[in-house]
Amino acid sequence: MGGDPKVSAKNEGVIGLLDKLEMAIYLLVALFLGIMALMTFFIVAMDLTEFIMGPADLSIIDIALNSLLVTLIIAALIQTVIVYIKVHTLDLRLILGVGLTAMIRRVLVFGVEKTITWEQMAVTALLIFVIILGVYLIDEKKPPES
């Protein structure tokens, strides 16, 4: 019933190769996310330099804050990838945190956009509510620490 040892050794070799390929993909994703985070820091610095050197305009601060929130989203995605690489499970709180940051960014973008429908605002509010509810429910299920 144990099976052919050659076949199981082959399967272990294939599984090991797929594990290494998966790890390489996640490391590549983390590398690209790191490069994107550095690029967004550069964009934030350019926006703030424009605010300091140019005429006083609060819309530049809004744009810089929007770029900074994109950086935070990318940093949280990097953290999610690192946690997955370490423990091979996804932390739902991290993922929901990324979603909440993205929704807050969306609310800030509403301030810059000229035409926003009530449907867009309602969907965004509903998504924020669902994400906050998800975070609350995850924390409720967590066993108390002794």
Side-chain angles (χ1 to χ4, degrees):
M1 289 228 176
D4 188 5
K6 289 182 183 178
V7 173
S8 64
K10 248 186 197 179
N11 287 343
E12 287 179 18
V14 170
I15 290 171
L17 180 65
L18 289 175
D19 279 343
K20 288 178 183 173
L21 180 63
E22 178 189 24
M23 192 63 61
I25 290 170
Y26 277 107
L27 288 173
L28 194 59
V29 166
L31 176 69
F32 282 132
L33 286 172
I35 291 169
M36 288 171 55
L38 290 174
M39 290 170 53
T40 57
F41 271 127
F42 180 70
I43 291 170
V44 169
M46 286 178 25
D47 290 341
L48 290 178
T49 303
E50 182 181 337
F51 178 74
I52 293 169
M53 301 298 185
D57 186 12
L58 288 179
S59 66
I60 296 173
I61 292 289
D62 193 35
I63 293 168
L65 187 57
N66 187 18
S67 300
L68 190 59
L69 285 172
V70 169
T71 306
L72 290 175
I73 291 169
I74 293 170
L77 288 173
I78 292 170
Q79 186 179 13
T80 303
V81 169
I82 289 171
V83 167
Y84 182 79
I85 288 171
K86 287 182 179 178
V87 295
H88 289 289
T89 57
L90 292 173
D91 186 355
L92 289 177
R93 279 176 276 162
L94 287 175
I95 294 170
L96 290 173
V98 170
L100 189 58
T101 305
M103 288 296 102
I104 291 169
R105 178 188 166 275
R106 178 136 173 86
V107 168
L108 289 174
V109 169
F110 281 163
V112 178
E113 292 179 0
K114 302 270 187 269
T115 56
I116 303 160
T117 64
W118 68 269
E119 293 95 351
Q120 290 174 322
M121 292 176 105
V123 168
T124 301
L126 180 64
L127 286 172
I128 289 172
F129 174 74
V130 168
I131 292 170
I132 290 172
L133 182 64
V135 170
Y136 174 75
L137 291 175
I138 287 174
D139 285 340
E140 280 289 312
K141 299 239 180 210
K142 192 168 68 172
E145 296 179 21
S146 306

